[in-house]
Amino acid sequence: MRGTLSPIDKAKYAAARRAADLVEDGMRVGLGTGSTAAWLVRCLGEMVREDGLKIRGVPTSSRTAALAREVGINVISLDEARWLDITIDGADEFDGNLNLIKGGGGALLQEKIVAAASDMMVVIADAGKEVGTLGAFPLPIEVIPFGWQTTQALVEETLISLDVLGRQTTLRMNGAKPFVTDEGNYILDLHLQRIGNPRQMALVINQMPGVVENGLFIDICDLVCIGHGDGRVEMRDIHKGTIEQERVEFVETENLFSDLYD
């Protein structure tokens, strides 16, 4: 995979690069999971190696932990950190109120715990992740393996009374076997098409026996950095009600990071 980055990768990089500038020396930083969050980890690693940035990173998955160590970030557990200054993560969807659907990478449980234990949560995303109403992306819910089919049936029955367009649910697979999270659980993907009341959905789903957590992040995100393929970044602060536009410059070299494609 050599050569120029695609527009979507440039958008992800632009958002990650701008969000990385929010990280200051000495911070305890939650590190998200997924393709956009991977750009963020690499940006922070570059700052650690080249600028002497000193941070402690709390990863939200084993994959992120491995990448963070690879790029030189000091990795600690959430129990060691106790509380975080900032968490930066991607999202599968976000709406105008900065409510999110997360969990496409299968790390929603750790991602939500880490985000909730932070003074600030920043979402980095390309512009295609913004939606008017959540639900086009399947909503993941993490369930314990014991009796998962019974849990699935209960979920489908409950969906009848909720404001959604679709009610199909599927067990996430990894080849011929169920996908297993870092916590040893399964994931059910809910194909809802539209979620009319995300807050109600999150509360109702989490009350069901067998459900560990859902992928709706309500009132958790503080700031979103939206990247575009030309380097533009739009920053929306839900608390200040502000929108700022900036531009990230790309270095036109064969590879943006020399180790990215090794």
PDB file of all heavy atoms in Angstrom, residues 221-251:
ATOM      1  N   CYS A 221     -19.819  12.869  24.451  1.00  0.00           N
ATOM      2  CA  CYS A 221     -18.888  13.590  23.590  1.00  0.00           C
ATOM      3  C   CYS A 221     -18.978  15.104  23.841  1.00  0.00           C
ATOM      4  O   CYS A 221     -20.068  15.674  23.888  1.00  0.00           O
ATOM      5  CB  CYS A 221     -19.195  13.283  22.127  1.00  0.00           C
ATOM      6  SG  CYS A 221     -18.172  14.192  20.950  1.00  0.00           S
ATOM      7  N   ASP A 222     -17.822  15.753  23.985  1.00  0.00           N
ATOM      8  CA  ASP A 222     -17.758  17.197  24.220  1.00  0.00           C
ATOM      9  C   ASP A 222     -17.398  17.978  22.964  1.00  0.00           C
ATOM     10  O   ASP A 222     -17.850  19.110  22.773  1.00  0.00           O
ATOM     11  CB  ASP A 222     -16.710  17.503  25.296  1.00  0.00           C
ATOM     12  CG  ASP A 222     -17.024  16.822  26.619  1.00  0.00           C
ATOM     13  OD1 ASP A 222     -17.995  17.241  27.270  1.00  0.00           O
ATOM     14  OD2 ASP A 222     -16.301  15.877  26.981  1.00  0.00           O
ATOM     15  N   LEU A 223     -16.577  17.379  22.120  1.00  0.00           N
ATOM     16  CA  LEU A 223     -16.044  18.082  20.953  1.00  0.00           C
ATOM     17  C   LEU A 223     -15.864  17.083  19.825  1.00  0.00           C
ATOM     18  O   LEU A 223     -15.420  15.956  20.061  1.00  0.00           O
ATOM     19  CB  LEU A 223     -14.694  18.727  21.308  1.00  0.00           C
ATOM     20  CG  LEU A 223     -13.910  19.441  20.211  1.00  0.00           C
ATOM     21  CD1 LEU A 223     -14.591  20.763  19.847  1.00  0.00           C
ATOM     22  CD2 LEU A 223     -12.472  19.706  20.670  1.00  0.00           C
ATOM     23  N   VAL A 224     -16.203  17.491  18.615  1.00  0.00           N
ATOM     24  CA  VAL A 224     -15.969  16.633  17.457  1.00  0.00           C
ATOM     25  C   VAL A 224     -15.072  17.364  16.472  1.00  0.00           C
ATOM     26  O   VAL A 224     -15.252  18.564  16.213  1.00  0.00           O
ATOM     27  CB  VAL A 224     -17.288  16.200  16.781  1.00  0.00           C
ATOM     28  CG1 VAL A 224     -18.075  17.384  16.258  1.00  0.00           C
ATOM     29  CG2 VAL A 224     -17.021  15.196  15.651  1.00  0.00           C
ATOM     30  N   CYS A 225     -14.058  16.663  15.962  1.00  0.00           N
ATOM     31  CA  CYS A 225     -13.175  17.174  14.916  1.00  0.00           C
ATOM     32  C   CYS A 225     -13.527  16.441  13.630  1.00  0.00           C
ATOM     33  O   CYS A 225     -13.310  15.231  13.522  1.00  0.00           O
ATOM     34  CB  CYS A 225     -11.709  16.936  15.266  1.00  0.00           C
ATOM     35  SG  CYS A 225     -11.131  17.824  16.723  1.00  0.00           S
ATOM     36  N   ILE A 226     -14.078  17.168  12.673  1.00  0.00           N
ATOM     37  CA  ILE A 226     -14.545  16.576  11.422  1.00  0.00           C
ATOM     38  C   ILE A 226     -13.534  16.874  10.328  1.00  0.00           C
ATOM     39  O   ILE A 226     -13.303  18.033   9.973  1.00  0.00           O
ATOM     40  CB  ILE A 226     -15.924  17.131  11.031  1.00  0.00           C
ATOM     41  CG1 ILE A 226     -16.906  16.989  12.189  1.00  0.00           C
ATOM     42  CG2 ILE A 226     -16.444  16.427   9.787  1.00  0.00           C
ATOM     43  CD1 ILE A 226     -18.197  17.767  11.983  1.00  0.00           C
ATOM     44  N   GLY A 227     -12.911  15.827   9.800  1.00  0.00           N
ATOM     45  CA  GLY A 227     -11.899  16.002   8.774  1.00  0.00           C
ATOM     46  C   GLY A 227     -12.459  15.907   7.372  1.00  0.00           C
ATOM     47  O   GLY A 227     -13.442  15.207   7.113  1.00  0.00           O
ATOM     48  N   HIS A 228     -11.816  16.627   6.440  1.00  0.00           N
ATOM     49  CA  HIS A 228     -12.175  16.596   5.023  1.00  0.00           C
ATOM     50  C   HIS A 228     -10.945  16.234   4.206  1.00  0.00           C
ATOM     51  O   HIS A 228      -9.808  16.424   4.648  1.00  0.00           O
ATOM     52  CB  HIS A 228     -12.732  17.949   4.577  1.00  0.00           C
ATOM     53  CG  HIS A 228     -13.982  18.361   5.289  1.00  0.00           C
ATOM     54  ND1 HIS A 228     -15.243  18.142   4.765  1.00  0.00           N
ATOM     55  CD2 HIS A 228     -14.171  18.949   6.491  1.00  0.00           C
ATOM     56  CE1 HIS A 228     -16.151  18.592   5.615  1.00  0.00           C
ATOM     57  NE2 HIS A 228     -15.529  19.091   6.663  1.00  0.00           N
ATOM     58  N   GLY A 229     -11.165  15.717   3.021  1.00  0.00           N
ATOM     59  CA  GLY A 229     -10.083  15.221   2.191  1.00  0.00           C
ATOM     60  C   GLY A 229      -9.090  16.271   1.736  1.00  0.00           C
ATOM     61  O   GLY A 229      -7.969  15.938   1.343  1.00  0.00           O
ATOM     62  N   ASP A 230      -9.477  17.555   1.797  1.00  0.00           N
ATOM     63  CA  ASP A 230      -8.564  18.624   1.394  1.00  0.00           C
ATOM     64  C   ASP A 230      -7.799  19.211   2.577  1.00  0.00           C
ATOM     65  O   ASP A 230      -7.101  20.217   2.434  1.00  0.00           O
ATOM     66  CB  ASP A 230      -9.328  19.740   0.677  1.00  0.00           C
ATOM     67  CG  ASP A 230     -10.417  20.366   1.539  1.00  0.00           C
ATOM     68  OD1 ASP A 230     -10.577  19.944   2.694  1.00  0.00           O
ATOM     69  OD2 ASP A 230     -11.116  21.277   1.035  1.00  0.00           O
ATOM     70  N   GLY A 231      -7.943  18.580   3.752  1.00  0.00           N
ATOM     71  CA  GLY A 231      -7.216  19.050   4.921  1.00  0.00           C
ATOM     72  C   GLY A 231      -7.998  19.953   5.849  1.00  0.00           C
ATOM     73  O   GLY A 231      -7.522  20.310   6.925  1.00  0.00           O
ATOM     74  N   ARG A 232      -9.205  20.341   5.444  1.00  0.00           N
ATOM     75  CA  ARG A 232     -10.028  21.169   6.328  1.00  0.00           C
ATOM     76  C   ARG A 232     -10.504  20.363   7.532  1.00  0.00           C
ATOM     77  O   ARG A 232     -10.821  19.183   7.404  1.00  0.00           O
ATOM     78  CB  ARG A 232     -11.247  21.722   5.581  1.00  0.00           C
ATOM     79  CG  ARG A 232     -10.960  22.816   4.593  1.00  0.00           C
ATOM     80  CD  ARG A 232     -12.222  23.295   3.908  1.00  0.00           C
ATOM     81  NE  ARG A 232     -12.852  22.223   3.140  1.00  0.00           N
ATOM     82  CZ  ARG A 232     -14.078  21.741   3.389  1.00  0.00           C
ATOM     83  NH1 ARG A 232     -14.795  22.232   4.390  1.00  0.00           N
ATOM     84  NH2 ARG A 232     -14.581  20.785   2.622  1.00  0.00           N
ATOM     85  N   VAL A 233     -10.554  21.015   8.672  1.00  0.00           N
ATOM     86  CA  VAL A 233     -11.071  20.404   9.887  1.00  0.00           C
ATOM     87  C   VAL A 233     -12.071  21.349  10.524  1.00  0.00           C
ATOM     88  O   VAL A 233     -11.771  22.522  10.741  1.00  0.00           O
ATOM     89  CB  VAL A 233      -9.950  20.084  10.902  1.00  0.00           C
ATOM     90  CG1 VAL A 233     -10.547  19.471  12.168  1.00  0.00           C
ATOM     91  CG2 VAL A 233      -8.928  19.135  10.294  1.00  0.00           C
ATOM     92  N   GLU A 234     -13.259  20.839  10.801  1.00  0.00           N
ATOM     93  CA  GLU A 234     -14.283  21.609  11.497  1.00  0.00           C
ATOM     94  C   GLU A 234     -14.384  21.095  12.923  1.00  0.00           C
ATOM     95  O   GLU A 234     -14.561  19.899  13.143  1.00  0.00           O
ATOM     96  CB  GLU A 234     -15.631  21.463  10.794  1.00  0.00           C
ATOM     97  CG  GLU A 234     -16.750  22.251  11.431  1.00  0.00           C
ATOM     98  CD  GLU A 234     -18.061  22.092  10.680  1.00  0.00           C
ATOM     99  OE1 GLU A 234     -18.099  22.412   9.475  1.00  0.00           O
ATOM    100  OE2 GLU A 234     -19.034  21.615  11.301  1.00  0.00           O
ATOM    101  N   MET A 235     -14.273  22.000  13.875  1.00  0.00           N
ATOM    102  CA  MET A 235     -14.324  21.629  15.286  1.00  0.00           C
ATOM    103  C   MET A 235     -15.603  22.193  15.897  1.00  0.00           C
ATOM    104  O   MET A 235     -15.818  23.401  15.905  1.00  0.00           O
ATOM    105  CB  MET A 235     -13.099  22.149  16.027  1.00  0.00           C
ATOM    106  CG  MET A 235     -11.795  21.611  15.487  1.00  0.00           C
ATOM    107  SD  MET A 235     -10.355  22.242  16.382  1.00  0.00           S
ATOM    108  CE  MET A 235     -10.617  21.529  17.997  1.00  0.00           C
ATOM    109  N   ARG A 236     -16.448  21.290  16.428  1.00  0.00           N
ATOM    110  CA  ARG A 236     -17.704  21.687  17.045  1.00  0.00           C
ATOM    111  C   ARG A 236     -17.667  21.377  18.532  1.00  0.00           C
ATOM    112  O   ARG A 236     -17.462  20.232  18.927  1.00  0.00           O
ATOM    113  CB  ARG A 236     -18.881  20.953  16.407  1.00  0.00           C
ATOM    114  CG  ARG A 236     -19.053  21.221  14.928  1.00  0.00           C
ATOM    115  CD  ARG A 236     -20.283  20.518  14.402  1.00  0.00           C
ATOM    116  NE  ARG A 236     -20.302  20.482  12.951  1.00  0.00           N
ATOM    117  CZ  ARG A 236     -21.158  19.760  12.233  1.00  0.00           C
ATOM    118  NH1 ARG A 236     -22.072  19.022  12.874  1.00  0.00           N
ATOM    119  NH2 ARG A 236     -21.109  19.759  10.921  1.00  0.00           N
ATOM    120  N   ASP A 237     -17.869  22.400  19.331  1.00  0.00           N
ATOM    121  CA  ASP A 237     -17.885  22.274  20.788  1.00  0.00           C
ATOM    122  C   ASP A 237     -19.333  22.327  21.248  1.00  0.00           C
ATOM    123  O   ASP A 237     -20.001  23.350  21.102  1.00  0.00           O
ATOM    124  CB  ASP A 237     -17.070  23.399  21.414  1.00  0.00           C
ATOM    125  CG  ASP A 237     -16.855  23.203  22.906  1.00  0.00           C
ATOM    126  OD1 ASP A 237     -17.844  22.902  23.613  1.00  0.00           O
ATOM    127  OD2 ASP A 237     -15.710  23.359  23.370  1.00  0.00           O
ATOM    128  N   ILE A 238     -19.843  21.220  21.800  1.00  0.00           N
ATOM    129  CA  ILE A 238     -21.250  21.131  22.172  1.00  0.00           C
ATOM    130  C   ILE A 238     -21.577  22.038  23.351  1.00  0.00           C
ATOM    131  O   ILE A 238     -22.707  22.509  23.492  1.00  0.00           O
ATOM    132  CB  ILE A 238     -21.648  19.667  22.497  1.00  0.00           C
ATOM    133  CG1 ILE A 238     -23.167  19.519  22.576  1.00  0.00           C
ATOM    134  CG2 ILE A 238     -20.974  19.202  23.774  1.00  0.00           C
ATOM    135  CD1 ILE A 238     -23.887  19.720  21.271  1.00  0.00           C
ATOM    136  N   HIS A 239     -20.606  22.315  24.213  1.00  0.00           N
ATOM    137  CA  HIS A 239     -20.858  23.119  25.405  1.00  0.00           C
ATOM    138  C   HIS A 239     -20.774  24.619  25.103  1.00  0.00           C
ATOM    139  O   HIS A 239     -21.610  25.393  25.561  1.00  0.00           O
ATOM    140  CB  HIS A 239     -19.879  22.745  26.519  1.00  0.00           C
ATOM    141  CG  HIS A 239     -19.921  21.302  26.882  1.00  0.00           C
ATOM    142  ND1 HIS A 239     -21.037  20.701  27.436  1.00  0.00           N
ATOM    143  CD2 HIS A 239     -18.987  20.325  26.748  1.00  0.00           C
ATOM    144  CE1 HIS A 239     -20.792  19.423  27.640  1.00  0.00           C
ATOM    145  NE2 HIS A 239     -19.553  19.166  27.240  1.00  0.00           N
ATOM    146  N   LYS A 240     -19.772  25.009  24.336  1.00  0.00           N
ATOM    147  CA  LYS A 240     -19.618  26.418  23.980  1.00  0.00           C
ATOM    148  C   LYS A 240     -20.545  26.827  22.834  1.00  0.00           C
ATOM    149  O   LYS A 240     -20.804  28.018  22.638  1.00  0.00           O
ATOM    150  CB  LYS A 240     -18.167  26.704  23.580  1.00  0.00           C
ATOM    151  CG  LYS A 240     -17.156  26.490  24.701  1.00  0.00           C
ATOM    152  CD  LYS A 240     -15.753  26.768  24.194  1.00  0.00           C
ATOM    153  CE  LYS A 240     -14.715  26.538  25.279  1.00  0.00           C
ATOM    154  NZ  LYS A 240     -13.327  26.755  24.774  1.00  0.00           N
ATOM    155  N   GLY A 241     -21.022  25.838  22.084  1.00  0.00           N
ATOM    156  CA  GLY A 241     -21.859  26.145  20.936  1.00  0.00           C
ATOM    157  C   GLY A 241     -21.093  26.787  19.800  1.00  0.00           C
ATOM    158  O   GLY A 241     -21.670  27.520  18.981  1.00  0.00           O
ATOM    159  N   THR A 242     -19.790  26.514  19.734  1.00  0.00           N
ATOM    160  CA  THR A 242     -18.946  27.137  18.724  1.00  0.00           C
ATOM    161  C   THR A 242     -18.569  26.155  17.622  1.00  0.00           C
ATOM    162  O   THR A 242     -18.528  24.942  17.835  1.00  0.00           O
ATOM    163  CB  THR A 242     -17.650  27.676  19.355  1.00  0.00           C
ATOM    164  OG1 THR A 242     -16.958  26.602  20.023  1.00  0.00           O
ATOM    165  CG2 THR A 242     -17.969  28.779  20.364  1.00  0.00           C
ATOM    166  N   ILE A 243     -18.305  26.707  16.442  1.00  0.00           N
ATOM    167  CA  ILE A 243     -17.815  25.943  15.303  1.00  0.00           C
ATOM    168  C   ILE A 243     -16.598  26.672  14.747  1.00  0.00           C
ATOM    169  O   ILE A 243     -16.690  27.858  14.395  1.00  0.00           O
ATOM    170  CB  ILE A 243     -18.880  25.784  14.204  1.00  0.00           C
ATOM    171  CG1 ILE A 243     -20.113  25.054  14.754  1.00  0.00           C
ATOM    172  CG2 ILE A 243     -18.300  25.039  13.005  1.00  0.00           C
ATOM    173  CD1 ILE A 243     -21.244  24.939  13.748  1.00  0.00           C
ATOM    174  N   GLU A 244     -15.471  25.996  14.681  1.00  0.00           N
ATOM    175  CA  GLU A 244     -14.245  26.593  14.171  1.00  0.00           C
ATOM    176  C   GLU A 244     -13.759  25.811  12.962  1.00  0.00           C
ATOM    177  O   GLU A 244     -13.912  24.590  12.891  1.00  0.00           O
ATOM    178  CB  GLU A 244     -13.156  26.608  15.251  1.00  0.00           C
ATOM    179  CG  GLU A 244     -13.531  27.415  16.487  1.00  0.00           C
ATOM    180  CD  GLU A 244     -12.452  27.359  17.552  1.00  0.00           C
ATOM    181  OE1 GLU A 244     -11.384  26.748  17.292  1.00  0.00           O
ATOM    182  OE2 GLU A 244     -12.671  27.918  18.646  1.00  0.00           O
ATOM    183  N   GLN A 245     -13.172  26.518  12.007  1.00  0.00           N
ATOM    184  CA  GLN A 245     -12.628  25.907  10.803  1.00  0.00           C
ATOM    185  C   GLN A 245     -11.125  26.115  10.779  1.00  0.00           C
ATOM    186  O   GLN A 245     -10.635  27.218  10.990  1.00  0.00           O
ATOM    187  CB  GLN A 245     -13.251  26.535   9.549  1.00  0.00           C
ATOM    188  CG  GLN A 245     -14.744  26.321   9.414  1.00  0.00           C
ATOM    189  CD  GLN A 245     -15.095  25.013   8.708  1.00  0.00           C
ATOM    190  OE1 GLN A 245     -14.201  24.298   8.241  1.00  0.00           O
ATOM    191  NE2 GLN A 245     -16.381  24.725   8.625  1.00  0.00           N
ATOM    192  N   GLU A 246     -10.390  25.045  10.535  1.00  0.00           N
ATOM    193  CA  GLU A 246      -8.940  25.119  10.398  1.00  0.00           C
ATOM    194  C   GLU A 246      -8.512  24.244   9.225  1.00  0.00           C
ATOM    195  O   GLU A 246      -9.331  23.559   8.617  1.00  0.00           O
ATOM    196  CB  GLU A 246      -8.243  24.674  11.692  1.00  0.00           C
ATOM    197  CG  GLU A 246      -8.579  25.528  12.904  1.00  0.00           C
ATOM    198  CD  GLU A 246      -7.795  25.122  14.130  1.00  0.00           C
ATOM    199  OE1 GLU A 246      -6.728  24.491  13.962  1.00  0.00           O
ATOM    200  OE2 GLU A 246      -8.246  25.428  15.252  1.00  0.00           O
ATOM    201  N   ARG A 247      -7.231  24.291   8.932  1.00  0.00           N
ATOM    202  CA  ARG A 247      -6.704  23.454   7.845  1.00  0.00           C
ATOM    203  C   ARG A 247      -5.413  22.794   8.307  1.00  0.00           C
ATOM    204  O   ARG A 247      -4.551  23.435   8.901  1.00  0.00           O
ATOM    205  CB  ARG A 247      -6.447  24.278   6.584  1.00  0.00           C
ATOM    206  CG  ARG A 247      -5.994  23.439   5.383  1.00  0.00           C
ATOM    207  CD  ARG A 247      -5.847  24.304   4.143  1.00  0.00           C
ATOM    208  NE  ARG A 247      -7.134  24.811   3.708  1.00  0.00           N
ATOM    209  CZ  ARG A 247      -7.972  24.161   2.900  1.00  0.00           C
ATOM    210  NH1 ARG A 247      -7.651  22.944   2.468  1.00  0.00           N
ATOM    211  NH2 ARG A 247      -9.109  24.700   2.531  1.00  0.00           N
ATOM    212  N   VAL A 248      -5.322  21.503   8.031  1.00  0.00           N
ATOM    213  CA  VAL A 248      -4.110  20.743   8.327  1.00  0.00           C
ATOM    214  C   VAL A 248      -3.349  20.562   7.030  1.00  0.00           C
ATOM    215  O   VAL A 248      -3.910  20.130   6.019  1.00  0.00           O
ATOM    216  CB  VAL A 248      -4.458  19.367   8.941  1.00  0.00           C
ATOM    217  CG1 VAL A 248      -3.218  18.495   9.053  1.00  0.00           C
ATOM    218  CG2 VAL A 248      -5.113  19.549  10.304  1.00  0.00           C
ATOM    219  N   GLU A 249      -2.067  20.917   7.055  1.00  0.00           N
ATOM    220  CA  GLU A 249      -1.248  20.787   5.850  1.00  0.00           C
ATOM    221  C   GLU A 249      -0.686  19.374   5.752  1.00  0.00           C
ATOM    222  O   GLU A 249      -0.226  18.802   6.745  1.00  0.00           O
ATOM    223  CB  GLU A 249      -0.096  21.809   5.882  1.00  0.00           C
ATOM    224  CG  GLU A 249      -0.553  23.258   5.883  1.00  0.00           C
ATOM    225  CD  GLU A 249      -1.338  23.626   4.638  1.00  0.00           C
ATOM    226  OE1 GLU A 249      -1.037  23.057   3.556  1.00  0.00           O
ATOM    227  OE2 GLU A 249      -2.253  24.474   4.734  1.00  0.00           O
ATOM    228  N   PHE A 250      -0.731  18.828   4.550  1.00  0.00           N
ATOM    229  CA  PHE A 250      -0.178  17.498   4.305  1.00  0.00           C
ATOM    230  C   PHE A 250       1.231  17.627   3.750  1.00  0.00           C
ATOM    231  O   PHE A 250       1.508  18.477   2.900  1.00  0.00           O
ATOM    232  CB  PHE A 250      -1.037  16.730   3.290  1.00  0.00           C
ATOM    233  CG  PHE A 250      -2.418  16.410   3.783  1.00  0.00           C
ATOM    234  CD1 PHE A 250      -3.503  17.181   3.399  1.00  0.00           C
ATOM    235  CD2 PHE A 250      -2.632  15.360   4.651  1.00  0.00           C
ATOM    236  CE1 PHE A 250      -4.770  16.901   3.842  1.00  0.00           C
ATOM    237  CE2 PHE A 250      -3.900  15.073   5.117  1.00  0.00           C
ATOM    238  CZ  PHE A 250      -4.968  15.844   4.709  1.00  0.00           C
ATOM    239  N   VAL A 251       2.115  16.771   4.250  1.00  0.00           N
ATOM    240  CA  VAL A 251       3.465  16.703   3.719  1.00  0.00           C
ATOM    241  C   VAL A 251       3.453  15.717   2.564  1.00  0.00           C
ATOM    242  O   VAL A 251       3.184  14.525   2.748  1.00  0.00           O
ATOM    243  CB  VAL A 251       4.473  16.253   4.802  1.00  0.00           C
ATOM    244  CG1 VAL A 251       5.869  16.161   4.211  1.00  0.00           C
ATOM    245  CG2 VAL A 251       4.438  17.216   5.979  1.00  0.00           C
TER     246      VAL A 251
END
